[in-house]
Amino acid sequence: MIMKNKYIPIHYNNNYYLYDCLNKYLFTVDEKAYHEFKNCDNNRLLERINKSTSLYPKSDKNNNIFHVLSTINTINNKKLYIYPEFQRKNVIESIIRTQHITLEITELCNLNCIYCCYGKLYLKTQHNQIGDKNRITDFLKKILYLKANNQIITDLRISFYGGEPLIQFDTIKECVEIACSILPNVNIKFAMTTNAVLLDKHIDYLIMHDFDICISLDGNKANNQYRIFKNGKQSFETVKKNIDFIQKKHPIFFEKNISFSTVLHNKSNCIDACHFFSQYKKEPIFSYLSISGTKKRSKKFSEINTQHQYNEKELENFKLDYPELYKSLFSNPNDTIYSWGRNRVPKNLNELFKEEQYIYPGGSCFLFQNRIFITVNGDILLCEKSSRKFKFGKITNKGFTIYLKRINKYYHDIIEIYRNQCTDCYKCFSCPKCYFSSHDEINKGLCICPKEQAIKEMNDIVNSKL
Ligand code: SF4
Ligand code: SF4
Ligand code: SF4
């Protein structure tokens, strides 16, 4: 299937341009051409130009933009990349080569955050399993022996995920020992995301193994009020005490290895959070509540999932103090022409397709190119953000059970969606959407960028940036 190029007319500073979505070119055009592309259907217009109808006499063609475009269009229309039928060996090979293993070591947590995606606001997808140490270490061993037996010695990252991973500290310790003994010549980086309630107890070990630690905290006490213990008490003071303790006792580790993650909701905001974390000389990584899997029509969720209304003065000051954060939070996420038209180039696919001929369908991972995520039950998923329904297999006592039929269907479905709904989307050449984590949004067509939206976005970008 051929994906036809798309052009977006832009009016800037009394000049007219066409933006070539596929090649990321800006062509200068005259006003007439600008209006042609603004008012006519892109495909029909290009067809007319190609056929050289009376609209553009042949004599003008050598010099006019339409001839250039029709030539580029003929050369550059790309084929939609169709995934190959995966065999078991492809999936195993991808597991062998993955450079990031995330282990869910427990579903339990010592907090009961009101917005937790395993809590009351979401449909139940998990069963609060503590996580069996022997099983989890066995999952890890099975993956690491695959690497060892195939002499893979590239750098590896192993992350511990929960619930709260520190409540299963013995499992973490054993996994670290196992990894270091099975892959002694591999540079392994260990990491975790934690609520920090138990961090003071285990910090010496974590420092000894140079863990990267991301602490979840939503800012000051008022910002943090949804992060509570099971008895309803606030967790803020406990967490802050632990953070202060580590900063004081281990300043170098604190500076190098500790980061913060902040959820934005109706009680938090980026200004308070940045102000709060500036005492630690840190800027947090911001995220929003996950909207997938929420209980339908939950009023509480809608209430929590509203954002602080920033006034102009607040935004102005924030932009001055934190220009990069401002850009990532308040600008259009695709706020440069380059990123708007950026093709995602998948890794590790050299043997499978020729990049220059194909357009890749969206931003989903190709098997385990980014990471592999193993749940407490041994289910194999692409990552922790993926919907739990997209299982790729299971690790059992006997080894790896690979769900080939399901895997092939996932990738087949991605292509079908792309064929049916994405050809009209102006972001089809730069689509970053991941089918596995944004399934609902894609399926409902919420992300389609029609021509009018493309024109508006691109004109906003150009007129605010250049
Ligand atoms: S710390 Fe994380 S896992 Fe635990 S309740 Fe809060 S959001 Fe959920
Ligand atoms: S969210 Fe999607 S693209 Fe990102 S790591 Fe997970 S599966 Fe891959
Ligand atoms: S419709 Fe959505 S998934 Fe398809 S190309 Fe557009 S942004 Fe990507």
Side-chain angles (χ1 to χ4, degrees), residues 123-146:
L123 299 166
K124 201 152 188 68
T125 52
Q126 289 173 269
H127 307 284
N128 292 335
Q129 295 185 60
I130 180 128
D132 180 88
K133 183 171 80 174
N134 293 333
R135 282 188 78 199
I136 288 160
T137 50
D138 189 54
F139 301 152
L140 180 63
K141 278 184 201 163
K142 288 206 161 63
I143 299 176
L144 297 183
Y145 276 125
L146 270 185

Side-chain angles (χ1 to χ4, degrees), residues 113 115 215-227 236 261-265 267-270 272-274 276-277 284 286-287 289:
C113 303
Y115 57 58
I215 298 175
S216 310
L217 188 66
D218 294 348
N220 62 35
K221 189 170 181 178
N223 302 145
N224 209 57
Q225 56 188 282
Y226 291 135
R227 300 186 63 82
F236 178 79
S261 150
T262 290
V263 179
L264 291 171
H265 46 67
K267 303 290 183 196
S268 66
N269 67 74
C270 59
D272 284 357
C274 285
F276 176 80
F277 288 111
F286 290 103
S287 63
L289 293 177

Side-chain angles (χ1 to χ4, degrees), residues 343-347 349 353 355 360 369:
N343 290 328
R344 268 181 66 99
V345 179
K347 305 168 199 161
L349 293 171
F353 79 102
E355 182 197 311
Y360 198 65
Q369 70 176 78

Side-chain angles (χ1 to χ4, degrees), residues 358-453:
Y358 292 97
I359 190 77
Y360 198 65
S364 309
C365 271
F366 185 88
L367 299 177
F368 307 104
Q369 70 176 78
N370 272 335
R371 64 184 68 193
I372 187 169
F373 178 63
I374 311 295
T375 71
V376 275
N377 291 318
D379 289 329
I380 301 172
L381 285 89
L382 290 188
C383 78
E384 65 279 13
K385 288 191 201 129
S386 160
S387 160
R388 299 266 165 159
K389 66 183 171 190
F390 295 119
K391 295 182 173 64
F392 279 60
K394 196 171 182 78
I395 308 181
T396 66
N397 291 342
K398 292 182 188 148
F400 291 86
T401 304
I402 301 298
Y403 302 153
L404 260 190
K405 220 168 156 182
R406 290 173 69 166
I407 295 172
N408 281 312
K409 179 160 173 19
Y410 303 151
Y411 287 99
H412 177 265
D413 288 350
I414 292 176
I415 295 297
E416 282 309 295
I417 287 177
Y418 222 77
R419 256 199 251 267
N420 292 326
Q421 85 171 29
C422 301
T423 43
D424 289 335
C425 174
Y426 269 66
K427 289 186 178 164
C428 66
F429 298 115
S430 55
C431 172
K433 292 283 169 196
C434 168
Y435 176 74
F436 301 99
S437 66
S438 308
H439 180 252
D440 290 353
E441 190 190 359
I442 295 174
N443 251 8
K444 289 178 191 156
L446 300 177
C447 51
I448 292 175
C449 179
K451 183 176 172 185
E452 302 69 42
Q453 185 185 329

